[in-house]
Amino acid sequence: MTVNQKFPSFLQIAFLILLSSKLTSSALPPVIKIAALFDETHGKSQELAFHRAVKMVNDDRTILTRSLVSPDIGNYPWDDSFKASKKLCELIMPGVAAIFGPTSPTASNHVQSVSDALHLPFLETRWDYDFQRSPFSINVHPHPSMLGKAYADFVHIVDWKSFVILYESEEGLVRLQELIKLPKTFSDIRVTLRQLPHGTTDYRPLLKEIKKSEETKIVLDCSFDNLERILSQANELHLLTDYHSYLVTSLDVDKINLSPYTNQNVNISGFSLTASGTRAIESYLKEFPNTGRGKEHMLFSENALVYDAVWTFAKALNDLDSLQSIQLEPLSCEQPGPWADGEKVLSYLKEVDHLGLTGEIKFDADGYRTDFQLELMEKMRSRTKKTGIWTAQGGVNYTLTATEIEGQMVEKLQNKTLKITTALTEPFVIERIFDYPVSPEAKERMSFEERFEGFCVDLIKELSKEVKFKYKFQLEPSGSYGSFKNGKWTGMIAELRSQQADMAAIDMSITSIRQRAVDFTMPFMNTGVGILYKKKKPPAPNLFSFLSPLSLDVWIYMTTAYLGVSILMFLLARLTPYEWENPHPCVDEPDELENVLTLHNCFWHNWGSLMQQGSDIAPKAISTRMVAGMWWFFTLIMISSYTANLAAFLTAAKMDSPINSAEDLAKQTKIKYGTYCCGSTNAFFQGSTIPTYQKINAYMESTKPSVYTTGNSQGLDRVLKEDGMYAFFMEAAAIEYHVERKCDLKQLGGLLDSKGYGIALPKDSPYTAAMSAGVLRLQESGKLQELKIKWWKNERGGGSCSGDAAGNSAQLDLASLGGVFIVLIGGMVVSIIIAIFEFTWKQRKLAVDENESVWAEMWEELKFAVNFRAGDTKPIKRESSRAASKSLLSKSKAESLNKYGVIGDEAKSIKSRGSRKDSNYACFNDNY
């Protein structure tokens, strides 16, 4: 054998010698005995878990490879701590490495005393709030102070503002200290403590009181055995509705049998200590398939803690085995002497880090398990599902995605028929009008939607299509929306708070006080407080209303001015030489001058100016032109003022109202005003800080008889009956509806505030978010606007006042302008009379036949005047008789003979005789 062949053998021998010496110095006993105490009544499942843990440790060859764990178990009566102590002394006598159990506080205290005296490690799995840890005790159970923090973190993240703590014993108050102290940290949180009665299993009286208090958030702290009983009795009293939420402090909420509540959408939440899906649980369940329920469940927290305690101890011994050794020694309770290796084992236990059935197990410097993770479990139909995790550093963190949350909501709504409370209010819910007679009995047999219709009925129908839910309407008996009286809510809000209804769909205003009582969706309609008032009756028709823009004094002064200016112009025209002109342009030196501004012409000139028509007569002198110019300026201002004021005056009577705003109402007391006694409009005035509205509220509260009404319909009737002596404050949406149908009503001014109508749901309803999203989608699609146009403008007489309103604002009827026609007709009649007078006077002067009467001449002229075929020329009638010639020549110094001018010397002859000619006289002489 060569050197190279011998060398490996030498190294192998040396390594074996060193390993053998090392193992000899640090070896554990081949059999490691451990003792366990379990009570005979409640400890059976824990004892089985203990045995399973020992078996799993012994079967696992990666831990304690050269030693076996041997369990020595003792049982004792639950309520006999003396027998427990005696049994413990028997168990430790041969020598053990650790003690496990018990879970009862009294027995545990005895074991702690023994373990402290003997320096024997004691692994506890019970709930213990004591911060003064026994020197040789290690508790695998999470420390209660951290559990209390987990409960407080949950309440905070789900935003519970008010809840009831139902606790079974004083121990529960200690366990829930973090919850009880929440109001000190958050002033808006209210906590009510109620203890479950002892000596009975009937908790219904207490649950009835909770139902009467309308609390829907309950923290339930009781033993696991009582959980299902309490939930069952709560279900009997309808305390497991969609709007109730329970936080179960038991760490085994996932072990509760929830199959009886499959169809209830109650929210039952709690934390689970066992970590789902870990390798430790998979291996455990593979070796020992679960066959138990409740406390017999393989992963029940008490059983899992016992299992993890054994593994924690085994892991500590395995760590110790790699470096040190221990020796088991007989121990005695009568002659206590400390175990030499006890502190050594305890130190390794404090440093252990193990991933067990209850998650990661490690201890802080004081030996408490304060760093651990819990799984948040919530009810989903007949089982619980993990929805989040809790850690001491991060609090509660939900792990569900938005899609999963939406899917849960859809599943809840699909299995739920929502009860919708409402009331008869136009046009939101109104009784359907049938085309045929329907008896009251037949109406009673009809479904709600067969008998009633309206905006809210259509709104819910569209919303159900959008959100995918089923619904059923019900009428609130009193028709009240809900007000807070004597510490209690009434009407629809009371139904929502008592879960008698799931939604309230009506014109319910979203107010702060209602918001504290119930939840609201996004507003489906925006409105505000308005003033309903009856239109003032129009004044009696006045045929001469066109004279009204100017007062009687102005008309008199203007007439006087017209007469004065005309006379002044006439006088000035006669006075000034520049208005006199030669009437015969063909004669250089006339014998007479002519003035066209006669009194008749001055009146005509100024009248044409006043009527904005002008005249062919024009002044020539500066003085007369000054008079004319000032008169034109005067008429410009007067006619412009008259024209501008005429339209406003003729329409002013239709818009005239003694009040036009809330300020006008507050300044007077003649016209009374009021509102619905018990609604949001009245609450608006009562809570307003605006001086005007405070004054209005003070008036309404002090006026006798009362100006308040029992409903909007009564206020509407009062406005109509009191004929302008009563104004009613109500929401603008209702005012708009009634004004569309009752043309003698109107809204005064604008809105006094701004508010919205929303669908009300019980407080913290799980459906609020889904319904709000549905309303928003309907608004974005324009469906809400379509429904409003349908019920406000089209249905039930809608739009009947639209044409009337347009006519009132833009048209003047005959009664307003009839006087203009009368003046026109009167002027025509007067002109006819004058024409007849002129005709008669002229014909009388022109009569030439002595044997023919004047009437005959007038008849001939009248026939000529009405003969349309006679044309525009009139022949001059010439008679041979001397009388006729004389009569003809005697007219105005032969005016008719010279009408068409004079030729030659005859003109001079006429001139020499001083005959007058007009300015249009034509000369046909060779000199011209």
Side-chain angles (χ1 to χ4, degrees):
M1 183 178 294
T2 62
V3 177
N4 293 336
Q5 292 176 327
K6 291 181 181 180
F7 184 70
S9 298
F10 175 75
L11 289 177
Q12 289 175 359
I13 294 172
F15 176 76
L16 291 174
I17 293 173
L18 291 173
L19 180 61
S20 175
S21 62
K22 183 68 177 177
L23 290 175
T24 302
S25 63
S26 61
L28 296 175
V31 177
I32 303 173
K33 290 186 177 182
I34 55 176
L37 273 177
F38 300 105
D39 68 272
E40 297 173 350
T41 306
H42 305 96
K44 296 299 182 182
S45 57
Q46 298 173 35
E47 184 177 343
L48 288 175
F50 183 79
H51 280 294
R52 294 189 188 103
V54 171
K55 182 179 184 307
M56 292 287 287
V57 168
N58 289 333
D59 291 346
D60 191 345
R61 290 297 84 199
T62 63
I63 189 173
L64 299 178
T65 55
R66 293 182 299 107
S67 301
L68 293 176
V69 178
S70 175
D72 196 355
I73 299 175
N75 300 107
Y76 69 96
W78 168 259
D79 55 351
D80 195 338
S81 59
F82 175 76
K83 289 185 178 180
S85 300
K86 186 176 180 180
K87 192 66 178 178
L88 175 64
C89 294
E90 294 176 0
L91 293 174
I92 65 173
M93 189 175 298
V96 294
I99 306 173
F100 295 83
T103 56
S104 63
T106 306
S108 294
N109 290 335
H110 283 285
V111 175
Q112 284 181 357
S113 299
V114 173
S115 68
D116 291 344
L118 299 179
H119 289 191
L120 187 63
F122 176 32
L123 280 83
E124 296 184 87
T125 59
R126 68 185 181 94
W127 179 90
D128 185 11
Y129 201 91
D130 192 3
F131 279 98
Q132 298 295 326
R133 185 181 60 83
S134 178
F136 280 85
S137 294
I138 295 292
N139 199 335
V140 183
H141 192 287
H143 197 271
S145 64
M146 300 308 296
L147 290 176
K149 184 178 183 303
Y151 304 143
D153 288 345
F154 173 82
V155 168
H156 180 65
I157 198 170
V158 296
D159 198 27
W160 284 9
K161 299 301 183 184
S162 176
F163 58 91
V164 176
I165 295 178
L166 281 181
Y167 65 97
E168 193 170 33
S169 63
E170 286 72 13
E171 182 182 279
L173 294 178
V174 179
R175 181 166 33 245
L176 302 173
Q177 278 299 303
E178 295 297 326
L179 284 177
I180 297 173
K181 292 188 295 185
L182 278 178
K184 297 181 179 179
T185 307
F186 305 97
S187 58
D188 58 338
I189 294 180
R190 183 167 61 91
V191 179
T192 304
L193 296 173
R194 301 301 300 271
Q195 186 173 10
L196 294 168
H198 292 291
T200 180
T201 58
D202 185 8
Y203 306 113
R204 294 178 184 86
L206 177 58
L207 295 174
K208 287 180 180 178
E209 293 181 16
I210 295 175
K211 183 177 181 180
K212 187 181 295 186
S213 70
E214 298 181 346
E215 287 286 359
T216 58
K217 308 293 184 293
I218 300 173
V219 177
L220 187 54
D221 183 85
C222 63
S223 63
F224 184 84
D225 297 329
N226 277 339
L227 274 175
E228 294 185 7
R229 181 182 298 109
I230 294 173
L231 291 177
S232 176
Q233 294 178 9
N235 186 41
E236 295 175 14
L237 299 176
H238 302 288
L239 286 173
L240 295 186
T241 67
D242 301 25
Y243 313 107
H244 285 89
S245 297
Y246 288 79
L247 172 60
V248 179
T249 60
S250 170
L251 296 177
D252 297 290
V253 65
D254 54 328
K255 314 301 188 304
I256 303 174
N257 179 22
L258 298 176
S259 58
Y261 321 116
T262 301
N263 296 324
Q264 277 90 332
N265 290 328
V266 59
N267 185 14
I268 299 177
S269 304
F271 292 103
S272 175
L273 186 59
T274 53
S276 59
T278 62
R279 187 171 61 181
I281 288 181
E282 292 176 355
S283 301
Y284 180 55
L285 293 179
K286 183 178 181 180
E287 181 70 19
F288 304 104
N290 180 53
T291 57
R293 300 180 62 183
K295 284 189 172 183
E296 306 301 323
H297 196 284
M298 304 288 284
L299 297 178
F300 190 77
S301 60
E302 292 181 355
N303 305 334
L305 287 170
V306 169
Y307 181 90
D308 283 349
V310 174
W311 270 93
T312 300
F313 179 72
K315 186 69 182 296
L317 288 183
N318 186 69
D319 294 340
L320 184 149
D321 183 36
S322 62
L323 298 174
Q324 301 185 42
S325 63
I326 59 171
Q327 295 294 326
L328 300 181
E329 301 174 358
L331 301 172
S332 173
C333 294
E334 297 177 356
Q335 297 179 350
W339 179 34
D341 295 327
E343 292 187 0
K344 188 187 304 181
V345 175
L346 182 65
S347 63
Y348 276 90
L349 277 172
K350 290 181 180 181
E351 299 296 329
V352 76
D353 190 352
H354 171 63
L355 186 61
L357 301 181
T358 60
E360 186 179 13
I361 301 173
K362 57 183 178 180
F363 305 97
D364 59 16
D366 297 324
Y368 296 111
R369 187 180 178 185
T370 55
D371 188 5
F372 55 91
Q373 178 176 295
L374 299 175
E375 292 187 348
L376 177 61
M377 311 295 291
E378 294 187 5
K379 175 184 176 297
M380 300 292 174
R381 295 186 64 78
S382 62
R383 59 184 180 84
T384 56
K385 181 180 180 180
K386 176 184 175 182
T387 59
I389 58 172
W390 175 88
T391 58
Q393 295 79 20
V396 176
N397 290 292
Y398 281 92
T399 57
L400 291 180
T401 63
T403 304
E404 290 174 325
I405 295 174
E406 184 177 357
Q408 292 176 7
M409 184 56 60
V410 170
E411 183 180 355
K412 286 183 178 181
L413 285 172
Q414 287 176 346
N415 296 285
K416 176 76 175 179
T417 299
L418 300 181
K419 294 176 291 185
I420 302 173
T421 182
T422 188
L424 295 179
T425 302
E426 291 184 307
F428 297 93
V429 179
I430 49 181
E431 194 161 0
R432 192 182 296 273
I433 298 177
F434 298 96
D435 298 331
Y436 51 88
V438 180
S439 64
E441 294 78 10
K443 289 183 178 180
E444 290 296 329
R445 292 192 297 269
M446 291 180 179
S447 67
F448 186 92
E449 291 185 65
E450 289 175 337
R451 183 176 178 184
F452 300 100
E453 60 182 358
F455 178 88
C456 284
V457 178
D458 289 350
L459 171 63
I460 295 300
K461 186 183 298 183
E462 295 296 331
L463 188 61
S464 67
K465 296 177 183 177
E466 193 71 35
V467 186
K468 307 292 189 303
F469 67 88
K470 294 175 287 185
Y471 61 91
K472 180 181 179 182
F473 278 100
Q474 63 187 36
L475 286 176
E476 204 281 327
S478 65
S480 171
Y481 294 2
S483 58
F484 193 67
K485 292 182 178 179
N486 301 323
K488 293 183 179 179
W489 282 96
T490 61
M492 298 181 193
I493 294 184
E495 287 189 343
L496 293 174
R497 289 181 64 84
S498 60
Q499 289 82 50
Q500 297 177 26
D502 300 298
M503 289 197 297
I506 199 63
D507 55 332
M508 185 180 293
S509 302
I510 303 173
T511 62
S512 59
I513 187 171
R514 286 175 177 169
Q515 187 78 55
R516 292 195 294 267
V518 295
D519 285 346
F520 282 97
T521 63
M522 283 194 61
F524 60 81
M525 185 181 296
N526 293 313
T527 183
V529 176
I531 307 173
L532 182 65
Y533 190 64
K534 188 175 182 180
K535 293 179 181 177
K536 182 182 177 182
K537 289 183 179 180
N542 182 6
L543 293 177
F544 296 95
S545 59
F546 65 90
L547 298 175
S548 301
L550 301 179
S551 66
L552 179 60
D553 294 342
V554 174
W555 283 116
I556 294 174
Y557 285 128
M558 189 168 67
T559 304
T560 304
Y562 165 69
L563 296 174
V565 170
S566 300
I567 294 173
L568 178 63
M569 181 179 285
F570 168 71
L571 295 175
L572 292 179
R574 294 182 66 83
L575 180 63
T576 178
Y578 297 105
E579 289 294 347
W580 297 94
E581 62 179 4
N582 182 6
H584 307 294
C586 301
V587 180
D588 295 332
E589 297 180 2
D591 295 335
E592 59 184 15
L593 297 175
E594 186 181 58
N595 193 334
V596 297
L597 291 180
T598 63
L599 184 60
H600 175 270
N601 286 345
C602 288
F603 278 113
W604 178 249
H605 173 272
N606 291 338
W607 182 256
S609 302
L610 184 63
M611 295 293 104
Q612 303 291 294
Q613 297 302 317
S615 172
D616 58 349
I617 300 170
K620 300 179 181 64
I622 296 177
S623 58
T624 54
R625 287 186 176 183
M626 177 64 71
V627 173
M630 290 300 99
W631 174 250
W632 291 342
F633 175 76
F634 173 80
T635 58
L636 172 66
I637 300 302
M638 293 303 296
I639 297 303
S640 298
S641 300
Y642 175 84
T643 305
N645 199 34
L646 178 62
F649 186 85
L650 291 177
T651 57
K654 300 178 180 180
M655 299 184 295
D656 187 26
S657 176
I659 53 173
N660 293 292
S661 64
E663 289 75 12
D664 294 342
L665 280 175
K667 292 175 183 177
Q668 56 82 51
T669 57
K670 182 179 179 181
I671 300 175
K672 292 181 171 54
Y673 46 88
T675 183
Y676 170 46
C677 66
C678 315
S680 61
T681 303
N682 186 35
F684 161 73
F685 286 106
Q686 290 178 344
S688 178
T689 58
I690 300 175
T692 300
Y693 301 158
Q694 289 177 337
K695 186 177 180 180
I696 290 175
N697 182 64
Y699 169 83
M700 292 191 296
E701 291 182 346
S702 61
T703 302
K704 301 296 180 183
S706 177
V707 293
Y708 291 118
T709 66
T710 58
N712 287 341
S713 59
Q714 184 182 355
L716 177 65
D717 294 339
R718 189 167 176 180
V719 169
L720 291 172
K721 290 177 181 178
E722 299 196 14
D723 196 17
M725 300 307 295
Y726 182 80
F728 188 66
F729 292 102
M730 65 189 302
E731 271 132 11
I735 293 178
E736 181 183 352
Y737 177 79
H738 293 298
V739 167
E740 283 284 334
R741 289 155 179 81
K742 295 180 175 61
C743 301
D744 52 351
L745 293 177
K746 66 176 180 178
Q747 179 178 343
L748 296 179
L751 300 182
L752 277 62
D753 71 338
S754 179
K755 64 180 69 174
Y757 293 150
I759 298 174
L761 300 96
K763 194 66 176 174
D764 300 326
S765 170
Y767 311 127
T768 302
M771 297 302 171
S772 287
V775 170
L776 182 60
R777 290 194 292 270
L778 290 177
Q779 186 176 9
E780 291 173 346
S781 65
K783 196 65 183 179
L784 293 181
Q785 185 63 21
E786 291 179 15
L787 293 180
K788 185 171 183 183
I789 293 174
K790 173 185 176 182
W791 289 105
W792 265 255
K793 302 290 185 181
N794 300 332
E795 298 289 338
R796 301 295 183 96
S800 59
C801 297
S802 300
D804 180 71
N808 288 341
S809 61
Q811 296 178 354
L812 295 174
D813 54 16
L814 182 61
S816 300
L817 296 178
V820 178
F821 293 91
I822 292 176
V823 171
L824 176 63
I825 295 172
M828 298 300 102
V829 172
V830 171
S831 65
I832 292 173
I833 294 172
I834 294 175
I836 293 173
F837 175 77
E838 290 176 342
F839 176 75
T840 305
W841 180 261
K842 186 72 173 177
Q843 293 303 321
R844 184 176 178 277
K845 292 178 65 177
L846 293 177
V848 295
D849 193 345
E850 296 177 354
N851 297 325
E852 190 173 358
S853 67
V854 176
W855 294 107
E857 288 289 334
M858 292 174 60
W859 177 249
E860 291 295 331
E861 289 294 331
L862 180 61
K863 287 193 299 181
F864 176 81
V866 298
N867 185 7
F868 296 103
R869 292 177 296 179
D872 297 329
T873 62
K874 180 180 179 181
I876 297 177
K877 190 175 184 180
R878 300 184 183 275
E879 298 292 340
S880 59
S881 65
R882 185 168 52 86
S885 300
K886 183 179 179 180
S887 177
L888 187 63
L889 292 172
S890 64
K891 181 178 176 285
S892 301
K893 294 182 183 294
E895 179 182 341
S896 60
L897 294 176
N898 302 320
K899 185 175 182 180
Y900 300 101
V902 180
I903 301 176
D905 297 335
E906 192 176 9
K908 297 179 181 180
S909 169
I910 294 173
K911 176 183 177 184
S912 65
R913 292 197 297 268
S915 301
R916 297 184 60 190
K917 304 287 184 243
D918 58 20
S919 59
N920 295 324
Y921 190 90
C923 300
F924 303 98
N925 197 302
D926 294 338
N927 299 326
Y928 298 95

